[in-house]
Amino acid sequence: VMKAGCRVAIAAAAPTVRSMNGVVIESMASLEDAGAADAVIVGSGLRTREVVADPAIMGQLGRLDPSRQLIAGQCSGTLVLAKLGLLKDVPACTDLISKPWVVEAGVEVLNQPFFAAGNVATAGGCLASHYLAAWIIARLEGSEAAENALHYVAPVGEKEEYVARAMRNITLYLRQELVNV
């Protein structure tokens, strides 16, 4: 359901990354490459506090710029956005484990799955990730494209309900016009 010419890549500080459950994937782009992307989702992980304490990694991520990119944080990825200064005076969403760290970073954490302000969005809970994806697609390609993408991945027998719930969560945060990032 991707637009022709659209490229999606996993960017990481190392050639491979391991999930908390042991799944190993190869990086397809550098963190510096993320600074040139139209949209970036900063994922979550067990080592997020190590990441935000690493000046080299944070320096590479410092090129993220919400004036020209859509930027999203998933669970502890919200901590990365906070430490990059992208959540100044903006409340955010995160998971329950990351919440104290995000609060300590000076960010008000909301008790909801999704929030966006301008070109920055956050989601709390692994199963809220589709809200970030739908928000990015809607901002870049329109709400119909987001609904189509959600419909494609939604469970059979629940497609309409799944799409409606996701769109209810993101519609409040969509601008009427599309962005040109």
Side-chain angles (χ1 to χ4, degrees):
V1 190
M2 298 284 301
K3 179 180 174 181
C6 183
R7 178 176 176 255
V8 177
I10 302 290
T16 61
V17 289
R18 179 181 304 273
S19 78
M20 66 185 208
N21 292 314
V23 175
V24 177
I25 59 172
E26 291 185 25
S27 174
M28 303 160 62
S30 71
L31 294 180
E32 289 179 351
D33 293 336
D38 291 336
V40 175
I41 298 175
V42 179
S44 190
L46 290 175
R47 302 171 107 181
T48 305
R49 289 187 294 170
E50 293 172 34
V51 166
V52 297
D54 186 322
I57 292 174
M58 294 302 283
Q60 291 174 342
L61 291 172
R63 291 189 57 222
L64 297 180
D65 182 357
S67 72
R68 58 179 174 75
Q69 295 176 290
L70 298 177
I71 302 172
Q74 172 70 34
C75 293
S76 67
T78 299
L79 178 61
V80 175
L81 300 189
K83 294 290 189 172
L84 288 170
L86 299 176
L87 299 175
K88 291 180 182 159
D89 302 319
V90 176
C93 301
T94 191
D95 63 292
L96 297 178
I97 292 171
S98 303
K99 180 179 177 177
W101 310 326
V102 175
V103 169
E104 183 181 302
V107 176
E108 175 192 357
V109 174
L110 302 171
N111 185 30
Q112 62 190 58
F114 178 83
F115 181 83
N119 285 348
V120 178
T122 55
C126 295
L127 294 179
S129 60
H130 67 287
Y131 299 145
L132 294 176
W135 175 78
I136 288 172
I137 294 168
R139 289 290 306 273
L140 295 174
E141 300 296 327
S143 291
E144 183 178 347
E147 290 173 8
N148 290 339
L150 289 165
H151 190 271
Y152 181 80
V153 300
V156 171
E158 298 177 0
K159 289 188 178 289
E160 288 74 21
E161 175 187 341
Y162 185 94
V163 171
R165 183 182 67 245
M167 294 307 292
R168 269 194 317 272
N169 276 290
I170 69 167
T171 299
L172 175 65
Y173 306 102
L174 297 175
R175 288 197 222 147
Q176 295 300 319
E177 71 278 358
L178 298 178
V179 293
N180 291 318
V181 290

